[in-house]
Amino acid sequence: DHIEWKDVPKMDYMSQVIKEGLRLHCPVPFIQRQLTQPADIEGVTLPVGTFCTIHLLNLHHNPEVWDDPWTFDPSRFHPDNIKDKDTYAFVPFSAGPRNCIGQHFAMNEEKVILGRLLRKFNFRLDPSHKVTRKVAAVMRAENGIKVFSTP
């Protein structure tokens, strides 16, 4: 009934499901950085001090990066399928020197909590409640998400 620390690294498919959920519904839809050195992008030089916004929601749904980007498909994150992707194609916790220091803890915590819940309950969405995405500094559902659980 318990998930031990040694079990967490074995939860490969759970990792794929969580990552695909984060890709489809990234918790932070955009990040902003200020350049500390000039950057050349396709022949245009951006000077020091320029603010750059990276739209993670768009990146994670870019059809040039992800086939059928609005479809939930955890197999995208199978090691054989992700190995050739650019390391910056999926960045739900940001990337580089200012990434989320708690991202590994968050992933492990999600695996344990979801693993324990899914062992005890079945979940289904309330079909009468429409879930609408609200894009804000932190992504959320406009009017919540209603689910039913049964043992």
Side-chain angles (χ1 to χ4, degrees):
D1 219 16
H2 294 288
I3 295 174
E4 302 285 331
W5 183 249
K6 65 181 173 22
D7 300 324
V8 174
K10 299 174 193 169
M11 301 173 83
D12 297 328
Y13 187 68
M14 180 71 79
S15 293
Q16 292 173 40
V17 168
I18 292 169
K19 287 178 181 180
E20 180 65 348
L22 288 169
R23 186 193 68 79
L24 273 175
H25 309 287
C26 52
V28 178
F30 59 89
I31 55 175
Q32 193 170 54
R33 299 290 185 260
Q34 186 174 17
L35 296 180
T36 58
Q37 58 189 25
D40 184 65
I41 300 174
E42 295 185 1
V44 176
T45 301
L46 303 175
V48 170
T50 301
F51 285 95
C52 298
T53 301
I54 302 162
H55 291 267
L56 301 180
L57 184 63
N58 292 345
L59 170 65
H60 291 167
H61 294 88
N62 183 342
E64 292 183 25
V65 177
W66 304 98
D67 293 330
D68 201 8
W70 292 97
T71 298
F72 181 77
D73 180 8
S75 71
R76 296 176 203 274
F77 290 95
H78 185 278
D80 292 339
N81 297 331
I82 200 74
K83 69 180 184 330
D84 295 328
K85 287 269 188 240
D86 186 288
T87 54
Y88 292 102
F90 174 68
V91 288
F93 297 101
S94 189
R98 293 190 60 200
N99 70 345
C100 175
I101 61 171
Q103 65 184 306
H104 296 292
F105 173 77
M107 283 293 294
N108 290 334
E109 185 176 46
E110 285 183 72
K111 288 181 198 179
V112 170
I113 291 169
L114 288 172
R116 295 202 63 206
L117 286 171
L118 291 170
R119 281 184 173 181
K120 295 183 179 202
F121 300 99
N122 289 311
F123 296 92
R124 64 180 178 86
L125 287 172
D126 179 348
S128 68
H129 179 75
K130 182 172 173 39
V131 178
T132 307
R133 177 181 286 133
K134 179 176 175 88
V135 178
V138 175
M139 188 82 75
R140 63 176 202 232
E142 182 77 38
N143 295 307
I145 301 172
K146 296 182 180 180
V147 295
F148 298 109
S149 64
T150 53

